Structures are given as structure tokens and as C-alpha cells.
Amino acid sequence: MSARRHKTGCPICGKPVVKEYRPFCSRRCADADLGRWFSGAYAVPGEPVDPADLPPSDDGGTERD
Ligand SMILES: [Zn+2]
């Protein structure tokens, strides 16, 4: 039984993961993944957000004074 088993490395570059940037090896890779995620999200032809779905805001509608 060899206990010396690395978990999955950085999903971006495969380097050993740094605890601080888990599950990545560095901030750069974390950012890279984030950017990838965002560009992927933006690329998805999603439905437009319906204002009715948003929570109503109490500010602005109510008159005070
Ligand atoms: Zn990396």
C-alpha cells in the first residue's frame, strides 16, 4: 500500500495543487479556469433574464416623507 498518492493536479496545467489556490496550482490557473467558465457561460445562448424573476426592490417605489 503506497500512501504516496497525489490527488488530481491542477486541472489547468497539471502541476501539484497549492492549498491556497485549491484546486489549482496558482492564482493564474484559478483565473484561467474562471475565465474559461465565464466565456463558456457567455457563449451559451441562454434565455434573457425576465425582470419578473428578480426580487422586487423596495427602494425607489415607495414614497417617503
Ligand atoms: Zn496550474
Side-chain angles (χ1 to χ4, degrees), residues 4-62:
R4 202 90 180 249
R5 250 258 207 104
H6 276 281
K7 278 192 177 176
T8 324
C10 171
I12 302 297
C13 69
K15 281 183 189 170
V17 170
V18 174
K19 193 162 63 172
E20 199 178 343
Y21 298 110
R22 244 177 356 175
F24 307 100
C25 73
S26 64
R27 167 119 192 256
R28 181 187 256 182
C29 282
D31 282 349
D33 187 76
L34 198 68
R36 218 164 52 167
W37 191 87
F38 270 129
S39 52
Y42 283 134
V44 174
E47 307 142 43
V49 177
D50 195 325
D53 275 350
L54 299 174
S57 60
D58 284 328
D59 280 333
T62 333

